[in-house]
Amino acid sequence: MSKGTRIVLLGRQGSGKGTQCVRLSRHYVVPHISTGDMLRASVRENSALGRGVAEVIDSGRLVGDDLIVELVRERLGKADARRRGFLLDGFPRTVTQAEALDDIANESPLNAVIDLVVPREMVLERLSARRVCRDCGANYQAGPVVASPWICDTCGGDVVLRDDDTPESINRRLDLYETQTAPLIEYYGASGRLFPVNGVGSPDQVFERITTVIDSR
Ligand code: ADP
């Protein structure tokens, strides 16, 4: 990696992180690298990797650090990320992954780690209503009447309920976030790279808050 904008967006499930990432990646013209999207694509393609991880994802557990670190290392080595930088969504998830990322990005350190802060009580309802584009990852909220088929406004792909957005899996992922991912806040805070951003508000307000932080770096 050499130059560009290198951002990590942290935030618990349902914080609006995915929606903001899609928008931020267009705004800064950097690849949006979502490890969840990459894993789901491999499940759809029924690749060897996909066959191994489908059950882990559906149950709401985390896939192994070694596997996900290799996936990210390979992705960050591609020309677009080397040239333009990247916006990481869903990675790192553990302190081990964060240390590996520092190692991968050591010549071009991260510009900022944004922590999108939304209280847990607020996200449960949003997650049950969440629908996601299979192709571009755009997020939508389902109302009382759901279009069928539902076509993505951005890319024309199918908009679906994720297999892991069941109440059981959602709760397990939120618990996991507290235990495994929250220590990342300390890790990045200790090295002065963490910028908490209030994630409560309209998507436009939140976008404005995030870009203000990034532009100040
Ligand atoms: P969510 O943030 O709603 O959990 P993601 O799309 O980020 O959704 O991830 C979906 C699933 O993919 C996770 O529950 C986990 O099983 C797996 N996953 C994604 N990113 C990682 C990661 N960095 N480390 C381990 N597992 C991951």
Side-chain angles (χ1 to χ4, degrees):
M1 268 169 297
S2 52
K3 49 189 178 227
T5 307
R6 293 169 306 278
I7 306 291
V8 168
L9 210 66
L10 301 177
R12 60 161 55 88
Q13 293 79 0
S15 59
K17 182 165 54 80
T19 306
Q20 293 295 337
C21 280
V22 169
R23 203 163 155 181
L24 289 165
S25 104
R26 280 197 218 115
H27 183 81
Y28 291 107
V29 200
V30 290
H32 169 200
I33 300 178
S34 155
T35 43
D37 285 351
M38 287 164 76
L39 291 170
R40 281 186 289 277
S42 69
V43 170
R44 275 205 308 281
E45 287 157 10
N46 202 24
S47 64
L49 169 68
R51 286 191 293 277
V53 299
E55 202 191 315
V56 179
I57 297 178
D58 288 351
S59 67
R61 286 172 290 137
L62 290 182
V63 309
D65 284 334
D66 291 352
L67 187 151
I68 204 85
V69 164
E70 275 324 300
L71 210 62
V72 169
R73 188 190 300 279
E74 197 183 305
R75 181 62 189 85
L76 295 187
K78 295 208 165 142
D80 58 347
R82 295 171 72 92
R83 230 177 272 133
R84 302 275 335 161
F86 51 80
L87 182 66
L88 275 170
D89 172 10
F91 183 96
R93 279 278 225 286
T94 63
V95 171
T96 304
Q97 293 179 14
E99 288 166 349
L101 177 60
D102 279 342
D103 182 50
I104 296 170
N106 78 340
E107 280 167 29
S108 318
L110 301 172
N111 298 103
V113 177
I114 309 283
D115 179 28
L116 203 52
V117 184
V118 177
R120 179 166 173 154
E121 313 78 76
M122 291 187 65
V123 303
L124 276 171
E125 209 173 302
R126 279 199 206 168
L127 281 170
S128 324
R130 172 163 80 176
R131 299 293 183 275
V132 181
C133 173
R134 244 194 243 280
D135 292 338
C136 74
N139 280 213
Y140 296 90
Q141 285 289 306
V145 182
V146 177
S148 172
W150 186 343
I151 303 299
C152 177
D153 294 338
T154 308
C155 77
D158 286 334
V159 176
V160 296
L161 174 70
R162 277 169 39 174
D163 290 340
D164 61 346
D165 274 347
T166 60
E168 206 183 30
S169 170
I170 288 171
N171 270 303
R172 179 173 301 165
R173 274 151 48 221
L174 286 167
D175 288 343
L176 254 185
Y177 184 82
E178 311 300 336
T179 54
Q180 296 212 266
T181 311
L184 285 178
I185 308 292
E186 209 168 300
Y187 178 83
Y188 285 122
S191 50
R193 292 177 286 178
L194 186 76
F195 297 86
V197 169
N198 177 7
V200 180
S202 71
D204 284 349
Q205 285 170 330
V206 176
F207 179 76
E208 168 83 31
R209 290 176 202 147
I210 298 174
T211 50
T212 303
V213 171
I214 295 176
D215 293 344
S216 73
R217 298 293 300 153

